[in-house]
Amino acid sequence: MRSIRPRLAALAVAIVAAAAVPFALPGSANAVTVGAGSYAASRPAGTVGPSDGNGAALTPKVTARMAGKPVPTNDWWSSLVFQRYPANPYSENMYAHPLTFHAAAQGLGVGYPTSPNITPDGRYYEFMHRDDLFVGVSGLNAPRTQVDGWSDWTVSPLWTDGSRTLRTTIGHGSPYVYAEATGGNARVAFNGPTSVWSNNGGTLGVTVNGVDYALFSPAAWSLVGTAEATSPAGFFSVAVLPSRDALSLFQRYAFSFVTDTKVSWSYDSASARMTATYTATTTAKQGTQTGTLQALYRHQWLNSTDTTTAYRYTSPRGEMRLREGASFTTRSTFNGVLPALPLSPSADKNRLRAEIDQELNAADPWKGASDTYWTGKALWRLAALARVANQIGYTAGRDRLIGMVRDRLTDWLTASPGETERHFAYDATWGTLIGYKSGYGTDAELNDHHFHYGYYVLAASVVAQHDPAWASDSRYGGMIKLLVKDANNYDRGETRFPFLRHFDAYAGHGWASGHAGFAHGNNEESSSEAMMFATAAVLFGQATGDTALRDAGIYLHTTQEEAIGQYWFDKDNAVFPASYGHDTLGIVWGAGGTYGTWWTANPEEIHGINMLPITGGSLYHAAWKNDIIGNVNELRAANGGTEVEWKDIITQFLALADPAQALANYGGGLAPEDGDSRAHAHHWITSLSAFGTPDVSVTANVPTHAVLNKNGARTYVAYNPGTAATTVTFSDGQTLSVPASSTAWRGPAGSGVDGGTGGVNPTTTTTTTTTTTTTTTTTTAPPVSRNAFGTIQAESFDQQNGLIVEGTSDTGGGQNIAAINNGNWALYRGVDFGTRTGTQFVARVASGAAGGVSGLVEVRLGSPTATPVGSFAIGNTGGWQSWRTVPANISGLTGKHDVYLTFTSGQPADFVNVNWITFQ
């Protein structure tokens, strides 16, 4: 869900950290260091976290058994755990498909809607939940529900009123409600016209509101007319039947209760094949039968060779097919993603350079961005231009762009003392990282983290091509990966975040809302921004050699591609109701879909929100090229003419199917959408015009590839982030040699290389060996200039007082300065901030000081006795080689300075070692 917002594009970034160590920062709450970055352990004063509709802080509605576990906050059932409305302590409507649910005081309301309603304005189609029956315990009147367990696509809500207890398990694809009761008889109450068509003691066949259900108990059911059925049983199940003749099949699995569900995936690079397996674990409550019945969504059964029965269900996602068995497997082809398209030989380089300069020389290149969404959008807009600048040979512009992006990312990825914005804070109660300033409910409602944080990761993947040291886990890559894990944690060993927060593995797509507090269930608006997140995970994982992250991104990308084609674009014309008058959706809901957005009814943005941002991962749309043309035609018909809002986005989308029309349609006179730029749009459209549209019939043995086809002639493109050249093999037998750290392409329209190295003062991670010294005179020749924003090795001082240099066991090896106590200092001449402003000082430090011994690490300019411009306190870190990265705010610095690192302590003992310093 996204709140009402202005007409601009938005963005989000997220990435995760490996082991993190809390470290006290003066003047703020504790921060947790992650490499050179950090996140705050508590949110800034005056900000909010998860809250109800009245603004009151919330805690997860879970049982004591589940307390402290990271809660899935954005699932189809999240209204059970996130009480958005103070007056409703149970749940909102929940759409598991084929069944729908609503929790109440007497138990679980169950329904199976099969007839869609089209709203009078024609914008919604909806299969709204209705309580056909209630699963409960006789006399139950619980004051609330709590969640007593969950797995990848099931949940177990629990009711208790002090005397009676009900625990159910419900899930995606399951036609069953599994129930356990104490303190009273099992009870199923009927809520509408009811008839009984089968009564065989413990098995009851009933029709309620025209829907056939079966009730299963190990003891006989007793009927109270057609109002309810009760049984003296401690466990029972209820199922919706696809037809009455399925009763015996459903009876077979009635007491094989599902206790766990899990998805697993693997990617085979050689075949470009993603394989995912969906497994339900069952326990026989009576007898020996195991296994279960599962209804597969359209995107699943179309991509599986596993046998299904002849039974079918109706759902808002089209036909669901029933499978007998505990697992099934899907297989999808991955057609690759790229950092950028290749440069067209006909592209106007002078125009591209001029349009890049328009962005660089703007009064505010960030366009006022302050929250996570707009900052993310701006980061990607500038990072995308860096690739264009590199391809046209504008290296100075490229370096400025990457420097701007890297500096802003570094700022956001570091929590500094006293900082109130531009950082992330961890909420341990809800198991989430929230960026402040937040936007569109990312704080109070836990909305949209994948949309916002994905932009950060995508921008970081561009920085990683030119500065791999910056992107390493020991620097800022750890924080980027932590953002990924917050939004979609793929690592089951990571206990700070729930598994796949925003991605519903069974539904095949994401959910944007945290609380799911709507009659239509949960929702997802911008499917294309969700795909942007997947693209970012693939590119950052590939650039940093993290195959687990990369493959998780491929799983998200391939699975969502199948779901988006079916459920947003209805590419097979088999999902939307026949009476629904639109060919696309702006928002997918649990109950159906909407031709609309959260903030406007403008057709250009209804369509455009599922196009933006245009990235090297947007090529998936070409899997439904006819729908691209139809989508644009519907937009123009609803708009009353050619688009004027977000024209750059819409025209780039059109170019994926009809680049000739797109090139003729696009001009330079209209302002681009705020997450895009004229130069990027011109580059994209001219590239597809020259090389052709994506050819999904050919794959490659690396995930970062694309094949373009113009009039039957193919152009082969591949990105190689490695340190050695490689040869990429395509499935049609063609090969392509790709230099290290580069994208290469070859085709009839031309060949080229987009190199990823050079410029931007890459972060240094290694040092040269020198001899340990204890002198107090100059030990090295003063450099002409040092880059303030690169890594300055502590032992590279120009002068020092009272220090020694020794070997270090820290990451990267080399030396550190040591034997530091009160009054010591080190001088670093010519530290150049250029035209950028330094607002933070960061040092890599360690201390084995005795208890009670501590001191200040200070930055002074021009003299060791000048007033400090910044400082931080340091005490024992666990040993003289137990390293921590510590940031401190400094007054804004520009230009070139002689920087003194000074050390002040109230005790005479040594208190710190320093490995390196940098400014941000």
Side-chain angles (χ1 to χ4, degrees):
M1 186 208 101
R2 186 168 310 170
S3 303
I4 304 300
R5 66 179 187 181
R7 295 179 180 179
L8 295 174
L11 119 96
V13 188
I15 315 195
V16 278
V21 182
F23 190 79
L25 298 178
S28 74
N30 285 353
V32 178
T33 58
V34 182
S38 57
Y39 60 86
S42 60
R43 63 176 181 264
T47 59
V48 301
S51 311
D52 67 17
N54 293 339
L58 288 175
T59 57
K61 210 153 55 78
V62 298
T63 62
R65 190 174 74 89
M66 303 305 293
K69 298 182 184 297
V71 178
T73 55
N74 295 63
D75 221 324
W76 63 270
W77 54 265
S78 292
S79 64
L80 280 166
V81 76
F82 194 132
Q83 187 179 335
R84 180 64 175 164
Y85 305 110
N88 182 6
Y90 303 105
S91 81
E92 303 304 318
N93 291 344
M94 299 177 286
Y95 296 85
H97 307 145
L99 288 170
T100 61
F101 307 103
H102 191 113
Q106 63 176 302
L108 182 66
V110 180
Y112 172 47
T114 59
S115 298
N117 173 58
I118 310 299
T119 57
D121 63 5
R123 290 182 176 273
Y124 281 82
Y125 79 82
E126 52 190 20
F127 291 75
M128 295 298 292
H129 168 75
R130 175 179 62 178
D131 293 322
D132 288 338
L133 50 82
F134 288 93
V135 173
V137 182
S138 293
L140 178 66
N141 186 21
R144 63 173 181 161
T145 55
Q146 294 177 287
V147 174
D148 192 49
W150 56 76
S151 64
D152 286 2
W153 58 88
T154 66
V155 64
S156 296
L158 182 138
W159 294 252
T160 182
D161 61 10
S163 300
R164 292 156 288 266
T165 297
L166 170 71
R167 186 182 191 271
T168 65
T169 296
I170 52 180
H172 269 316
S174 177
Y176 291 97
V177 176
Y178 306 102
E180 298 169 272
T182 63
N185 287 337
R187 173 180 181 261
V188 179
F190 308 122
N191 191 44
T194 302
S195 62
V196 178
W197 47 268
S198 178
N199 189 342
N200 186 21
T203 300
L204 199 64
V206 300
T207 300
V208 186
N209 294 326
V211 177
D212 292 332
Y213 291 95
L215 284 58
F216 304 101
S217 171
W221 290 100
S222 297
L223 282 164
V224 181
T226 57
E228 66 178 37
T230 62
S231 175
F235 61 88
F236 61 105
S237 65
V238 175
V240 61
L241 300 178
S243 67
R244 292 182 182 180
D245 66 3
L247 181 62
S248 60
L249 173 64
F250 276 72
Q251 189 173 24
R252 182 184 311 161
Y253 294 99
F255 301 129
S256 179
F257 279 29
V258 172
T259 56
D260 189 31
T261 56
K262 275 192 171 63
V263 62
S264 60
W265 59 79
S266 63
Y267 180 64
D268 178 29
S269 292
S271 63
R273 178 63 56 88
M274 169 55 64
T275 301
T277 300
Y278 300 81
T279 302
T281 300
T282 62
T283 297
K285 300 291 286 187
Q286 177 176 283
T288 60
Q289 182 67 54
T290 58
T292 191
L293 301 172
Q294 299 180 90
L296 276 61
Y297 282 114
R298 180 175 178 82
H299 77 277
Q300 295 171 325
W301 56 259
L302 279 173
N303 293 286
S304 178
T305 58
D306 294 336
T307 303
T308 58
T309 70
Y311 295 114
R312 305 289 185 260
Y313 286 105
T314 298
S315 85
R317 308 291 177 258
E319 181 182 87
M320 299 183 78
R321 297 187 176 182
L322 189 69
R323 172 168 166 75
E324 183 179 7
S327 69
F328 63 91
T329 297
T330 62
R331 296 169 180 84
S332 301
T333 298
F334 184 51
N335 285 104
V337 296
L338 291 171
L341 289 181
L343 178 69
S344 165
S346 62
D348 186 338
K349 293 183 180 180
N350 291 330
R351 172 180 174 174
L352 289 171
R353 176 162 179 156
E355 290 175 337
I356 290 170
D357 283 339
Q358 287 176 11
E359 298 285 340
L360 280 171
N361 299 328
D364 178 13
W366 303 98
K367 299 187 178 181
S370 60
D371 67 11
T372 48
Y373 187 72
W374 294 108
T375 295
K377 296 277 284 184
L379 285 165
W380 166 242
R381 172 169 47 82
L382 298 172
L385 285 178
R387 301 305 332 140
V388 178
N390 195 66
Q391 289 184 12
I392 66 172
Y394 185 18
T395 56
R398 174 203 66 190
D399 294 350
R400 285 181 61 193
L401 289 161
I402 294 177
M404 290 166 64
V405 171
R406 184 176 64 180
D407 290 352
R408 187 59 59 97
L409 279 171
T410 299
D411 188 4
W412 272 90
L413 299 175
T414 309
S416 301
E419 192 173 48
T420 60
E421 57 184 56
R422 289 192 190 175
H423 72 280
F424 293 88
Y426 182 69
D427 186 321
T429 301
W430 287 92
T432 184
L433 274 177
I434 301 174
Y436 293 97
K437 293 180 180 179
S438 62
Y440 306 111
T442 54
D443 50 0
E445 302 177 63
L446 297 184
N447 294 338
D448 298 357
H449 286 199
H450 56 330
F451 294 161
H452 293 222
Y453 302 169
Y455 285 102
Y456 287 70
V457 181
L458 189 59
S461 72
V462 175
V463 175
Q465 295 177 58
H466 290 267
D467 192 350
W470 180 92
S472 66
D473 286 354
S474 62
R475 298 291 284 151
Y476 295 97
M479 271 299 296
I480 291 294
K481 292 177 183 178
L482 203 60
L483 290 181
V484 171
K485 288 183 178 178
D486 171 78
N488 277 313
N489 177 26
Y490 54 91
D491 178 4
R492 294 191 187 273
E494 170 60 75
T495 59
R496 285 170 287 188
F497 310 104
F499 182 68
L500 297 181
R501 181 192 309 280
H502 280 280
F503 186 73
D504 187 325
Y506 203 91
H509 59 80
W511 298 116
S513 168
H515 52 76
F518 310 98
H520 288 79
N522 217 330
N523 73 93
E524 177 92 320
E525 186 179 53
S526 181
S527 62
S528 51
E529 285 183 304
M531 287 292 272
M532 173 272 298
F533 178 94
T535 297
V538 175
L539 289 174
F540 193 80
Q542 186 78 343
T544 58
D546 188 333
T547 56
L549 170 58
R550 181 201 71 183
D551 290 357
I554 295 173
Y555 169 68
L556 295 176
H557 200 284
T558 54
T559 309
Q560 287 181 136
E561 178 182 333
E562 298 294 341
I564 291 166
Q566 296 296 334
Y567 310 142
W568 271 262
F569 292 91
D570 195 16
K571 71 183 186 71
D572 297 333
N573 297 316
V575 173
F576 297 173
S579 56
Y580 188 59
H582 298 285
D583 293 328
T584 191
L585 297 178
I587 304 173
V588 162
W589 289 89
T594 309
Y595 184 77
T597 73
W598 279 101
W599 76 99
T600 183
N602 177 10
E604 293 155 310
E605 287 157 293
I606 292 171
H607 290 259
I609 195 59
N610 285 293
M611 302 173 186
L612 64 78
I614 300 296
T615 76
S618 298
L619 306 178
Y620 69 93
H621 286 290
W624 46 85
K625 289 178 182 176
N626 289 337
D627 282 88
I628 291 176
I629 304 300
N631 199 285
V632 173
N633 289 341
E634 180 185 6
L635 182 163
R636 291 172 177 171
N639 195 50
T642 304
E643 60 279 355
V644 293
E645 192 87 34
W646 292 4
K647 182 171 183 176
D648 58 316
I649 295 294
I650 296 164
T651 308
Q652 289 174 85
F653 175 76
L654 175 62
L656 289 164
D658 190 345
Q661 183 189 164
L663 188 61
N665 182 55
Y666 185 73
L670 290 174
E673 184 269 338
D674 275 314
D676 199 24
S677 64
R678 288 184 173 90
H680 179 257
H682 179 70
H683 174 273
W684 177 275
I685 295 166
T686 55
S687 180
L688 292 175
S689 177
F691 299 112
T693 60
D695 185 339
V696 298
S697 69
V698 182
T699 60
N701 65 344
V702 297
T704 43
H705 78 276
V707 179
L708 305 175
N709 190 316
K710 185 172 184 178
N711 300 324
R714 290 172 175 151
T715 294
Y716 301 88
V717 192
Y719 163 55
N720 168 28
T723 57
T726 190
T727 298
V728 175
T729 301
F730 292 82
S731 60
D732 64 354
Q734 293 292 315
T735 60
L736 179 67
S737 178
V738 188
S741 304
S742 299
T743 298
W745 59 92
R746 185 191 73 247
S751 304
V753 174
D754 177 5
T757 59
V760 306
N761 298 308
T763 301
T764 303
T765 57
T766 59
T767 59
T768 56
T769 304
T770 60
T771 304
T772 300
T773 177
T774 58
T775 65
T776 59
T777 58
T778 301
T779 57
T780 60
V784 174
S785 181
R786 284 183 169 93
N787 174 26
F789 302 103
T791 300
I792 301 172
Q793 296 297 330
E795 71 275 13
S796 70
F797 48 75
D798 300 308
Q799 289 184 325
Q800 56 92 7
N801 177 49
L803 312 176
I804 68 169
V805 176
E806 62 180 16
T808 184
S809 62
D810 195 13
T811 302
Q815 290 78 44
N816 59 259
I817 59 175
I820 301 170
N821 54 51
N822 183 52
N824 295 161
W825 53 260
L827 166 63
Y828 304 88
R829 296 192 189 279
V831 177
D832 192 357
F833 293 83
T835 58
R836 288 181 282 167
T837 301
T839 58
Q840 192 174 76
F841 163 69
V842 179
R844 185 73 166 166
V845 294
S847 176
V853 176
S854 63
L856 293 175
V857 178
E858 304 156 321
V859 177
R860 305 175 194 249
L861 305 180
S863 167
T865 59
T867 302
V869 296
S871 66
F872 63 82
I874 184 70
N876 189 292
T877 64
W880 293 111
Q881 292 295 316
S882 182
W883 294 96
R884 302 287 184 270
T885 303
V886 182
N889 286 341
I890 58 174
S891 55
L893 299 179
T894 59
K896 186 183 292 187
H897 302 273
D898 290 344
V899 171
Y900 283 83
L901 203 60
T902 63
F903 306 91
T904 301
S905 175
Q907 300 86 27
D910 295 349
F911 69 92
V912 68
N913 288 351
V914 182
N915 189 5
W916 49 256
I917 63 173
T918 189
F919 295 86
Q920 297 170 357

